[in-house]
Amino acid sequence: MKRGRPATRNEATTAILNVLEKSQVPLTTSSIRSIISKELTRKFSWNTVQKYVNELIQTNRLNATNLPHSKIPNKTGLTVYTLKK
């Protein structure tokens, strides 16, 4: 039996997947961070969430979509994330 608190990696990745599963729209890293911070009543930094999102993309569990910039043509803007189906 494992002792101590659960690893942040396990807690954060399951929370990220649950948030994206419930969401009807693609979410940015900042929106994912704020939702999981509220759900788990613990603050997560943007860098931590981005690190785990990148890991989920590498394991083919998430899709990343780059949106065009709203004001500068031919430049990428926000990156939004969805679950792979």
Side-chain angles (χ1 to χ4, degrees), residues 11-71:
E11 194 176 26
T13 54
T14 55
I16 290 168
L17 291 172
N18 288 337
V19 165
L20 288 170
E21 190 174 295
K22 293 176 190 175
S23 176
Q24 299 294 322
V25 295
L27 298 173
T28 61
T29 303
S30 297
S31 58
I32 294 170
R33 184 196 63 79
S34 65
I35 293 169
I36 67 170
S37 292
K38 286 178 188 174
E39 282 185 0
L40 299 177
T41 61
R42 184 175 147 204
K43 289 190 178 184
F44 284 92
S45 72
W46 185 92
N47 290 327
T48 302
V49 173
Q50 185 63 40
K51 177 174 71 173
Y52 295 134
V53 164
N54 287 338
E55 286 181 3
L56 290 169
I57 290 170
Q58 290 175 353
T59 59
N60 290 328
R61 295 175 85 182
L62 293 182
N63 282 333
T65 306
N66 291 325
L67 300 176
H69 197 281
S70 62
K71 296 184 179 167

